[in-house]
Amino acid sequence: MKILICDDTEQPLTGLAQDLAAMGHSDVEVATGDKVAKLADGLEQRRKAAASGNESAPAWGESAFDKADLVFIDYNFVQLEHSNGLTGQRLAYLARCYSAAKYIVVLNQFGENRFDLTLRDHPETYADLHLGLQQVMNEGLWSDREWPSFRPWTWPVLPEIVTKMERAAIEVEAALDTPILKHLMLDGVAGAIPRNVKQFLGDESVTFREFALKSGFDVSDKPFSQKSIALIAASRVAKWLEYLILSAQDILIDVPRVLSRYPSVLGEGGLDVLENEPLSSTKVNALNLPAAIDDHRYQKSDWIRRPAWWRSGVLGEERLSENQDALAPETDLRFTEDASRFLKSAYVSGFVADLNSPFVQRFVLSERDPEIDYQPQLRFSL
Amino acid sequence: MTKEYLELRSLLIRLPDFQREFQNYTGHECKILELVNKEHEAASRAYLESSLPSTASKLNMASDNRHIFLTPFEDNNHTYLPLLSVDLDFTLAWPMISIHLLHYGLDKGHSKAEKLKCFGYRYDKPAARVGDHDYFHVQFTHGTEKGRHNNRINRWISTKDPSIPIDATDSVQLFLSAVIAVRNGFKTRRDLFDEWRQAGIAINSMLMPMAFQRWRPASANNT
């Protein structure tokens, strides 16, 4: 996996390169100072060339961004001498729309070590993921094993998500003129998607191409390469699906919601067997969920960071004992969104996520690391 | 009593989360909302959280004219918008609770205020342990505030009879009875229970003592 790191100064992201190398990711390029300004300028030239049609610009495939599987961009470029107002967010826009970069992570835009209690992130931004610098080396971002006690459930496993994003973009290339909802198998439930969630796409029949051209680019900007359209659409639609549909847990549900509803699938011990166990993919795969659950799996798995199932399908599944007896045994375990594991209610605090969904009551650890900034604090339940 | 209060509080403060957001109302639902919202204020989760501390206390939603706007639904060529409010006083030795419901209805062919109609009813815990009214019940009302008549409600309706017994022996069951009774057609009862359950509420143990939940036909042979 080729990793590109962009920052205004040598430190502290160069330290990150060493840490990544220690982890086995040796193909890391660090662009700082003038080098990052030059890279950004190359993308700006592409943008201008696309808009005016008569400027020269680096050919598609020539930029370091084009070759990167994973790009880390520091949000703050204050120490850049010739920044021309460049911010990490602007560079993320240029990288998404004017390069073939696969997955873009913007660092420190919302804090160096923050947990987002809204659970909706920032779907409108061009970063595929927002992280704080202090979070980048969290093992839970890089591997499916050994998740530490702080490992937000919404985070992807980076090497895995890069591959998924690549496959999603290939899917889009073959379906550019297909309505997004149809391709994502959501057309049958379009009526259940709240208006303010659908509005991100534009309308119910919008195609990938239309979406990328209308909402992918700033007002007067145009695509430099037709190859960018699939990447833009895949990136932005995947983010919409992740944060506005799956996070809501009312159309698609993920594994904690499946297991807390249907603990019988875990056998005799029920949900208790998972107490304090991080729900990594390896762990989830080892559960061998029965066909009664798995028959309702959402098939577009490359578009989301973790497995999902159709909520209505699972709730209507007669083979599940909990659906036959409405009053199944209750559990004292709550799923913690910041630790990705079930814990007893005495060890969790409630908060209200900012989602268009009835399922906004969520939980985090009650004993939290003071170094981690849980925001907005107002979201904690009274 | 504290357990009962805390359970009731946890159910009540989450109820607004489960209702359709105003911005997702459809055409005629927006019209009825506009009319009803001129007369009543919506109670959000934040209002309920701040009004209901975690120690036993009082709440007077009806006299504050604050109501939870339940999800609207269509029936009988009308759009209905049900409003729910709770008055309670758990500082009393015999805690009091009344749950008010107002069902506003607007003919689908109209959008004017004159066409807005309403019927109201109230779930009560008995005010006294003995007497002819000493059971959990529901009866029609002329509005939510004592002494003030809601002009949309027909005056001829008796607010004394019927006084229908309710499947409840405490305020939590009374509240659940009131909420379960409003079937909007968009969500099943299972959905509603699922929403509470996913919010970390031990809803099963609250439902278990209720007859509606325990009742099942013995077997086909016995019928």
Side-chain angles (χ1 to χ4, degrees), chain A residues 22-37:
Chain A
M23 211 186 243
H25 297 286
S26 52
D27 197 356
V28 181
E29 181 180 350
V30 181
T32 57
D34 285 348
K35 192 175 172 188
V36 78

Side-chain angles (χ1 to χ4, degrees), chain B residues 49-89:
Chain B
E49 281 185 332
S50 59
S51 306
L52 279 172
S54 49
T55 50
S57 62
K58 290 183 193 181
L59 174 70
N60 285 299
M61 291 176 70
S63 50
D64 285 354
N65 198 18
R66 292 276 200 158
H67 308 261
I68 298 171
F69 284 46
L70 303 179
T71 297
F73 61 95
E74 289 177 11
D75 188 28
N76 198 23
N77 208 34
H78 279 68
T79 301
Y80 291 94
L81 178 55
L83 270 52
L84 181 145
S85 55
V86 177
D87 289 341
L88 59 84
D89 188 349

Side-chain angles (χ1 to χ4, degrees), chain A residues 100-369:
Chain A
K102 289 194 188 84
Y103 201 81
I104 300 169
V105 180
V106 170
L107 300 173
N108 301 332
Q109 184 169 357
F110 303 104
E112 289 197 356
N113 197 3
R114 182 179 193 265
F115 179 81
D116 178 16
L117 290 166
T118 70
L119 296 187
R120 71 191 304 277
D121 197 71
H122 299 271
E124 70 288 351
T125 66
Y126 288 83
D128 294 302
L129 181 67
H130 288 282
L131 290 174
L133 178 61
Q134 292 176 39
Q135 299 171 332
V136 181
M137 290 316 296
N138 186 307
E139 295 95 322
L141 269 172
W142 296 93
S143 159
D144 204 31
R145 288 180 296 236
E146 306 295 324
W147 283 7
S149 58
F150 176 77
R151 199 284 179 192
W153 179 240
T154 57
W155 281 2
V157 174
L158 287 170
E160 189 182 292
I161 198 69
V162 168
T163 313
K164 282 186 171 195
M165 184 63 81
E166 192 174 10
R167 288 198 297 250
I170 290 168
E171 263 186 56
V172 175
E173 262 178 5
L176 274 174
D177 297 308
T178 305
I180 294 171
L181 292 183
K182 184 166 185 266
H183 183 81
L184 296 178
M185 304 163 72
L186 293 169
D187 49 337
V189 293
I193 303 174
R195 183 177 294 167
N196 44 0
V197 171
K198 268 189 287 201
Q199 74 187 7
F200 183 88
L201 298 181
D203 63 62
E204 284 184 20
S205 59
V206 71
T207 65
F208 286 108
R209 188 192 304 276
E210 289 165 344
F211 173 73
L213 293 176
K214 273 186 196 165
S215 66
F217 291 91
D218 284 353
V219 182
S220 56
D221 288 351
K222 291 176 181 156
F224 175 75
S225 163
Q226 291 303 308
K227 289 179 183 167
S228 67
I229 293 176
L231 288 165
I232 296 166
S235 160
R236 294 180 66 71
V237 172
K239 212 170 162 191
W240 171 80
L241 191 61
E242 182 70 40
Y243 287 112
L244 297 182
I245 299 287
L246 180 55
S247 272
Q249 302 290 333
D250 59 346
I251 293 173
L252 299 174
I253 53 175
D254 54 20
V255 78
R257 293 3 108 158
V258 168
L259 298 178
S260 60
R261 279 179 178 95
Y262 301 101
S264 67
V265 302
L266 294 169
E268 222 171 81
L271 201 57
D272 290 348
V273 301
L274 290 177
E275 185 183 351
N276 207 12
E277 290 281 344
L279 287 186
S280 62
S281 314
T282 312
K283 187 86 197 170
V284 173
N285 291 336
L287 296 175
N288 287 322
L289 295 175
I293 296 286
D294 236 30
D295 286 354
H296 303 285
R297 194 185 269 256
Y298 181 58
Q299 298 299 323
K300 293 288 178 186
S301 55
D302 284 336
W303 290 80
I304 41 181
R305 296 173 184 174
R306 50 203 188 279
W309 292 262
W310 294 100
R311 176 172 175 266
S312 59
V314 178
L315 254 61
E317 176 54 73
E318 288 180 6
R319 289 173 287 176
L320 293 166
S321 60
E322 286 87 349
N323 285 346
Q324 290 162 16
D325 176 9
L327 298 184
E330 261 158 350
T331 175
D332 185 42
L333 295 175
R334 306 281 181 268
F335 186 72
T336 47
E337 304 286 342
D338 55 344
S340 299
R341 66 196 72 198
F342 285 102
L343 291 173
K344 287 215 161 69
S345 61
Y347 303 110
V348 307
S349 300
F351 71 98
V352 185
D354 183 12
L355 300 165
N356 290 286
S357 162
F359 303 103
V360 291
Q361 178 70 59
R362 305 292 176 89
F363 303 93
V364 287
L365 298 165
S366 56
E367 280 193 25
R368 295 181 287 278
D369 182 343

Side-chain angles (χ1 to χ4, degrees), chain A residues 194-196 257 260-261 311 315 323 326-328 330 334 352 355-361 363 381-382, chain B residues 9 14 17-18 21 23-25 45 49 190-191 194-195 197-200 202-205 208 213:
Chain A
R195 183 177 294 167
N196 44 0
R257 293 3 108 158
S260 60
R261 279 179 178 95
R311 176 172 175 266
L315 254 61
N323 285 346
L327 298 184
E330 261 158 350
R334 306 281 181 268
V352 185
L355 300 165
N356 290 286
S357 162
F359 303 103
V360 291
Q361 178 70 59
F363 303 93
S381 301
L382 294 173
Chain B
R9 178 183 185 271
R14 284 164 180 86
D17 295 341
F18 306 156
E21 289 187 52
Q23 58 187 326
N24 291 319
Y25 277 32
R45 176 173 176 151
E49 281 185 332
R190 180 180 285 174
D191 284 323
D194 184 45
E195 288 166 354
R197 197 173 291 121
Q198 290 294 312
I203 188 73
N204 291 2
S205 60
M208 210 79 82
Q213 186 60 42

Side-chain angles (χ1 to χ4, degrees), chain B residues 22 41 44 49 51 65 84 100 103 114 120 140 157 179 215 217:
Chain B
F22 292 166
E41 278 193 71
S44 63
E49 281 185 332
S51 306
N65 198 18
L84 181 145
H100 304 265
H103 278 237
E114 307 89 82
F140 289 114
I157 295 171
V179 174
W215 177 87

